[in-house]
Amino acid sequence: MMTHDLPRRMKNIALKLVCVLGLPVLASALSLASSPAARAETAPSSPSEVAALPVSEEQIDRAVGRLDELAGAILTKTGIPGLSVAVVHRGKTIYAKGFGLRKVGESAPVDADTVFQIASLSKSVGATVVARLVAQGVIAWDTPVVKHLPWFALADPWVSTHVTIGDLYAHRSGLPDHAGDNLEDLDFDQRAVLERLRFLPLHAFRSDYAYTNFGLTAAAVSAAAAAGSDWADLSTKLLYKPLGMAATSSRYADFAASSNRAVGHVKTSKGYEPLYVRQPDAQTPAGGVSSSVKDMARWMALILQNGRFEGRQLIEASALLPAISPQVVSAHPASSAARAGFYGFGFGTGIQASGRTTLSHSGAFSLGAATNYVMIPSLDIGIVVLSNAAPIGAVEALGMEFADLVTVGRITEDWYALYNRAMEGMATPVGRLVGKDRPSDVRPAEALSAYTGIYSNDYFGDAQISEDKGKLILTIGPQARRHTLEHWDGSTFVFAISGENAPVGSLSAVEFVTNDRATAEKMVVEFLDEDGTGTFRRR
């Protein structure tokens, strides 16, 4: 099962990847691989490496030969502006091509060198940087984060001193799902977000899986501190430069400066439009890498060759193996017949219907990026798909179609329909009052002066409610973002929100709680209250 980086409102969606293998397919696959020379993989060295469906090189060639058709079909079916695809096999890039446009309204085409924001594929790429530090003996996967980041803390002092780099890369620290993302939405920088994670409630340590961009970022920053380096510089030194990934960077400025870059798009009533800019430097180890499929193919070759690249052992296999091995259950089976999903250190790990293990990850920016890779280590093959449109399941579908063709010789499911259905809610506006009419018997608000003042919150900091031209204004965050509040009913107000975690049309309620003197004592901001942290108390 592939692991997806979706906005937190989608965290309860389970993608059911079902492959139904008919007996004729099984029989043909077995007969095709009757000759040892025809097999694409080496003989298994242990019972756990046995796969029931042998694969030939001819079958892989046929799968690669269909990629032009499949990529073109996805573009036609979805209308997304552009995508780029690469395949690596036995350490070599055997396919790399772009399709469509970098930006709607312009003629520049996507090619294999076009740079995309890869979103959460950054986690797997960054885990490879950490693995190299592990191989060099600078750190270990079980090194406590505070050893090299002494100011870092979580809500529980014991957990603070024991949480390791590996714990945070496996999303098993106890932090709530997507912890810190709402601080990034309010323009807090990386250090400020990481320092404020201590105010969030914790779930069970090392028992629960909860996907956290900033928890993983803390681990990466700690690893970089151990090496005496900035994360972006470290990534270039230890990974991008040795692999010849010249188009790859962990800094947004480098992506923005590229002359061959794909611009993000979102779907509107007019079609796909390039409306937003996603600047992810605050969480760069988790979501801030930009790269081309040519570069990503070189990275996949390193992973599939167990740390070797072009004949050189860049990372000891023993340091890399924990990252690409299951460390936590990320998706518990819904039935006894279902397969579980697992997560390593920055890598999604799983088992296909064919019985072969996979490494995979998806990345998504609601503001205009969707990415995916699937690697099948037993066949030493991997595919990466990068696109410049908000996620709708297109890149995942193309990856799974290719994986099907490689492993069983045919496409077993309508993968686009499955993934698209699972992601269809991502463009739905959020907020409990969205689409609702105001009550017919609206209660009046108190005098606006009853609500004005400074309100404090440990996690989000101070927020100010002021009055301007007969309206309440909410000012919040380090950049002093201003939101005009519209009266809804009684002491309930609303304001429009939009961004990475709130599609256009979203509304956040603001509930003021007044005392017997009709003066507000606190307010609850709905959009900031998913973890119960959205209460601001008046000074």
Side-chain angles (χ1 to χ4, degrees), residues 17 22 24 41 94 188 225 239 256 311 332 336 339 358 395 461 475 538:
L17 311 181
E41 75 267 48
I94 61 173
F188 285 90
L239 190 65
H332 290 271
S336 60
R339 292 181 294 277
T358 59
V395 295
T475 303
R538 193 174 188 172

Side-chain angles (χ1 to χ4, degrees), residues 17 35 47 49 69 111 134 197 227 261 266 269 274 315 326 369 445:
L17 311 181
S35 167
E49 292 182 356
E69 165 207 340
D111 58 35
V134 172
L197 293 180
R261 64 183 174 91
V266 295
S269 60
I315 305 172

Side-chain angles (χ1 to χ4, degrees), residues 406-421:
V406 165
T407 55
V408 299
R410 68 182 181 95
I411 297 173
T412 64
E413 295 289 333
D414 185 345
W415 290 109
Y416 177 67
L418 288 173
Y419 279 108
N420 182 252
R421 187 161 58 247

Side-chain angles (χ1 to χ4, degrees), residues 366-389:
S366 292
L367 300 184
T371 60
N372 175 256
Y373 72 77
V374 183
M375 290 186 267
I376 308 171
S378 62
L379 299 175
D380 198 352
I381 194 166
I383 182 171
V384 60
V385 186
L386 308 178
S387 79
N388 59 348

Side-chain angles (χ1 to χ4, degrees), residues 286-513:
V289 175
S290 56
S291 187
S292 68
V293 291
K294 275 189 177 179
D295 278 8
M296 289 296 290
R298 298 173 79 83
W299 168 77
M300 288 195 299
L302 173 75
I303 302 302
L304 288 166
Q305 297 276 309
N306 297 310
R308 291 184 66 81
F309 183 74
E310 295 182 345
R312 176 190 173 197
Q313 193 73 42
L314 191 66
I315 305 172
E316 290 301 319
S318 59
L320 181 61
L321 182 59
I324 58 178
S325 302
Q327 299 293 336
V328 64
V329 177
S330 59
H332 290 271
S335 72
S336 60
R339 292 181 294 277
F342 302 95
Y343 203 84
F345 294 143
F347 288 79
T349 70
I351 301 173
Q352 282 193 317
S354 66
R356 296 184 183 276
T357 61
T358 59
L359 304 174
S360 60
H361 216 293
S362 285
F365 288 155
S366 292
L367 300 184
T371 60
N372 175 256
Y373 72 77
V374 183
M375 290 186 267
I376 308 171
S378 62
L379 299 175
D380 198 352
I381 194 166
I383 182 171
V384 60
V385 186
L386 308 178
S387 79
N388 59 348
I392 57 171
V395 295
E396 290 83 5
L398 184 53
M400 286 303 295
E401 287 172 348
F402 180 74
D404 267 357
L405 290 171
V406 165
T407 55
V408 299
R410 68 182 181 95
I411 297 173
T412 64
E413 295 289 333
D414 185 345
W415 290 109
Y416 177 67
L418 288 173
Y419 279 108
N420 182 252
R421 187 161 58 247
M423 297 184 186
E424 61 187 0
M426 290 190 68
T428 302
V430 298
R432 62 182 176 82
L433 298 178
V434 169
K436 295 185 178 180
D437 296 325
R438 293 179 69 193
S440 57
D441 54 344
V442 174
R443 295 170 296 167
E446 306 293 347
L448 296 188
S449 59
Y451 306 111
T452 59
I454 304 296
Y455 294 75
S456 294
N457 178 292
D458 289 338
Y459 182 58
F460 293 108
D462 288 347
Q464 181 180 21
I465 298 293
S466 58
E467 183 181 350
D468 184 22
K469 299 178 181 178
K471 297 283 188 178
L472 290 180
I473 306 296
L474 166 65
T475 303
I476 190 170
Q479 300 300 318
R481 289 197 182 195
R482 287 168 57 91
H483 303 278
T484 300
L485 305 188
E486 300 291 341
H487 182 244
W488 185 266
D489 180 40
S491 289
T492 299
F493 294 75
V494 297
F495 66 94
I497 51 175
S498 65
E500 180 62 29
N501 293 292
V504 173
S506 297
L507 286 176
S508 175
V510 179
E511 301 271 3
F512 289 95
V513 178

